Amino acid sequence: MRAQRVWKVNGDASIGHLQSRLDDLNKRLGQLESQHPSSWKLEELKASALSLSREIDDIRCAEATAALSELLRK
C-alpha cells in the first residue's frame, strides 16, 4: 500500500502562501527562459513549480472533500 499525504486543512492562508511561492517561481522561470533557454536550472524550477501546484490542488481537494462530507452528514 502506498503512503498517502494527509493535509491539515487550514484554509485560504495556506493556499495563498503556496500560490505566492508559485507565482514567484513562475516569474523566475520566465526570466531564466528568456535569458538562458537551455539552462539546467529550468528543469529544477519547473519541477518545483509542479510540486507546488500539486500541493495547492491537494489542499483544495481536501477542503472540497471536507465540505462535501459536512453537507452529506446533514
Side-chain angles (χ1 to χ4, degrees):
M1 179 192 270
R2 190 170 169 232
Q4 190 173 15
R5 184 177 287 173
V6 178
W7 293 103
K8 200 170 198 178
V9 179
N10 59 0
D12 293 332
S14 179
I15 291 175
H17 174 72
L18 291 173
Q19 187 64 52
S20 177
R21 286 177 48 200
L22 182 59
D23 292 343
D24 291 342
L25 198 52
N26 283 328
K27 284 178 191 173
R28 287 194 323 202
L29 261 169
Q31 292 169 349
L32 191 58
E33 282 178 329
S34 65
Q35 295 170 358
H36 307 285
S38 60
S39 174
W40 58 271
K41 272 275 218 202
L42 279 174
E43 293 307 314
E44 284 185 14
L45 290 174
K46 286 178 184 178
S48 294
L50 284 172
S51 178
L52 278 173
S53 65
R54 285 186 191 115
E55 286 185 50
I56 292 168
D57 287 346
D58 287 347
I59 292 171
R60 285 183 176 150
C61 287
E63 288 176 341
T65 299
L68 181 59
S69 294
E70 187 62 33
L71 283 173
L72 292 174
R73 273 184 252 196
K74 293 179 180 182

